[in-house]
Amino acid sequence: MPVTDEAIEKIKAMIVTGELGPGDRLPKENDLAERLGLSRNSLREAVKALSLIRVLDVRQGDGTYVTSLEPNLLLDAMSFVVDFHRDDTVLEFLEVRRILEPAATAMAAARMADVEVADLRRVLEALDDAPTIEALVANDLEFHRRIALGSGNTVLCSLLDGLSGPTTRARIWRGLTQEGAVDKTREQHAAICDAIEARQPEVARSWATVHIAGVEHWLRSTLVDAGAQLR
């Protein structure tokens, strides 16, 4: 095992076993390196790597601390990786959204506070009668973000937030090219909101599935047609 990887594993073991907890300060570099049987250089590289994925927080002049280890913080690193996706993987991101988002929507129907449901309704009402594609997509992102938050599951919310970026371009493309896409999006959003407001989790789940699957089906058909034209 490369020495940096070994150093990462040893620090990780200290956190996983509870020897170091959220907010704890790591021992001084010399002491920790000697204790773990590592060189100071490999220890520094390990600390640098773990700080990039938000496990450690290096504070200049103060020391190195374990972060809060909250899911939204740790999964923030996933968003960074997701940014490197290729256009040909967008369908895969949509497939994952189709699995996760209906579950989040059903949970939101059972868990969202009345005031949160009212705020969700206001998001829909804030959209103009003839919105631009940019305004529609921004509204769509905010609508789904609030539902994910309403699920009450921070891990699920962070995962969905990380998946929203790669599918934004597909949403814009659909709005520009598919006839009736704007009206269809608004209608489906309203149906989802109605089901959440009526506290009907399974109905909310079904509408969310229809909504995500519609974008996925459109993109899959569009890519097939484009491929046929190139042959």
Side-chain angles (χ1 to χ4, degrees):
M1 180 185 294
V3 289
T4 301
D5 289 351
E6 181 185 359
I8 290 172
E9 286 300 317
K10 288 184 175 181
I11 296 173
K12 175 184 171 184
M14 293 178 72
I15 297 171
V16 171
T17 59
E19 187 175 350
L20 286 173
D24 286 350
R25 180 176 177 174
L26 270 65
K28 292 181 179 179
E29 185 180 89
N30 286 343
D31 295 340
L32 186 58
E34 182 178 351
R35 177 178 166 184
L36 297 179
L38 301 167
S39 69
R40 290 175 62 184
N41 185 57
S42 62
L43 179 60
R44 286 190 194 122
E45 290 300 315
V47 168
K48 187 185 297 183
L50 290 169
S51 67
L52 285 173
I53 60 172
R54 316 299 281 277
V55 172
L56 297 179
D57 178 20
V58 180
R59 304 175 190 174
Q60 294 300 324
D62 186 13
T64 300
Y65 293 79
V66 179
T67 66
S68 66
L69 302 179
E70 290 292 327
N72 61 326
L73 186 67
L74 297 179
L75 289 170
D76 198 38
M78 186 190 77
S79 298
F80 177 78
V81 175
V82 163
D83 285 340
F84 289 97
H85 80 280
R86 304 185 311 274
D87 284 349
D88 60 357
T89 63
V90 174
L91 269 174
E92 295 181 7
F93 283 105
L94 280 169
E95 287 174 347
V96 176
R97 272 191 68 202
R98 177 165 47 81
I99 294 168
L100 297 181
E101 200 151 322
T105 306
M107 292 165 70
R111 298 178 177 179
M112 282 182 80
D114 290 343
V115 66
E116 293 175 319
V117 178
D119 287 342
L120 184 67
R121 178 73 66 183
R122 277 192 282 273
V123 169
L124 296 184
E125 293 172 349
L127 200 62
D128 293 338
D129 291 337
T132 64
I133 298 303
E134 290 78 10
L136 180 72
V137 171
N139 187 271
D140 181 70
L141 290 170
E142 179 63 12
F143 179 76
H144 290 287
R145 185 187 72 83
R146 286 176 180 264
I147 290 174
L149 282 170
S151 73
N153 186 305
T154 55
V155 175
L156 184 55
C157 183
S158 296
L159 286 171
L160 288 171
D161 187 54
L163 292 170
S164 65
T167 60
T168 299
R169 191 184 304 176
R171 296 172 185 178
I172 294 172
W173 188 13
R174 184 193 188 202
L176 290 170
T177 60
Q178 187 182 38
E179 185 177 353
V182 173
D183 290 339
K184 187 175 296 184
T185 296
R186 298 186 74 152
E187 289 169 4
Q188 291 172 353
H189 279 185
I192 291 169
C193 191
D194 288 345
I196 291 175
E197 191 172 44
R199 305 302 182 185
Q200 296 177 310
E202 292 310 312
V203 176
R205 185 197 304 272
S206 297
W207 273 113
T209 302
V210 168
H211 182 53
I212 305 301
V215 181
E216 182 188 346
H217 176 72
W218 167 83
L219 182 58
R220 195 181 300 278
S221 300
T222 301
L223 292 176
V224 168
D225 291 343
Q229 291 174 11
L230 290 174
R231 288 197 293 271

Short mmCIF file of all heavy atoms in Angstrom, two decimals, residues 25 59-63:
data_model
loop_
_atom_site.label_atom_id
_atom_site.label_comp_id
_atom_site.label_asym_id
_atom_site.label_seq_id
_atom_site.Cartn_x
_atom_site.Cartn_y
_atom_site.Cartn_z
N ARG A 25 -9.34 18.00 17.86
CA ARG A 25 -8.08 18.44 17.26
C ARG A 25 -7.11 17.27 17.18
O ARG A 25 -6.98 16.50 18.14
CB ARG A 25 -7.47 19.56 18.10
CG ARG A 25 -6.16 20.11 17.56
CD ARG A 25 -5.68 21.27 18.41
NE ARG A 25 -4.40 21.77 17.97
CZ ARG A 25 -3.81 22.84 18.46
NH1 ARG A 25 -4.40 23.52 19.44
NH2 ARG A 25 -2.65 23.24 18.01
N ARG A 59 -6.53 24.47 9.97
CA ARG A 59 -6.62 25.88 10.34
C ARG A 59 -5.22 26.41 10.58
O ARG A 59 -4.55 26.03 11.54
CB ARG A 59 -7.47 26.04 11.61
CG ARG A 59 -8.87 25.44 11.48
CD ARG A 59 -9.64 25.52 12.79
NE ARG A 59 -10.87 24.73 12.73
CZ ARG A 59 -11.67 24.54 13.77
NH1 ARG A 59 -11.37 25.09 14.95
NH2 ARG A 59 -12.76 23.79 13.64
N GLN A 60 -4.78 27.28 9.67
CA GLN A 60 -3.43 27.81 9.75
C GLN A 60 -3.18 28.48 11.11
O GLN A 60 -3.95 29.32 11.54
CB GLN A 60 -3.20 28.81 8.62
CG GLN A 60 -3.21 28.20 7.22
CD GLN A 60 -2.13 27.15 7.04
OE1 GLN A 60 -1.03 27.27 7.57
NE2 GLN A 60 -2.45 26.11 6.26
N GLY A 61 -2.07 28.09 11.74
CA GLY A 61 -1.71 28.69 13.01
C GLY A 61 -2.48 28.15 14.20
O GLY A 61 -2.25 28.57 15.34
N ASP A 62 -3.40 27.21 13.96
CA ASP A 62 -4.22 26.69 15.05
C ASP A 62 -4.10 25.17 15.17
O ASP A 62 -4.00 24.62 16.25
CB ASP A 62 -5.68 27.09 14.84
CG ASP A 62 -6.58 26.70 16.01
OD1 ASP A 62 -6.03 26.35 17.06
OD2 ASP A 62 -7.81 26.74 15.86
N GLY A 63 -4.10 24.49 14.04
CA GLY A 63 -4.01 23.04 14.06
C GLY A 63 -4.98 22.41 13.07
O GLY A 63 -5.62 23.10 12.28
#
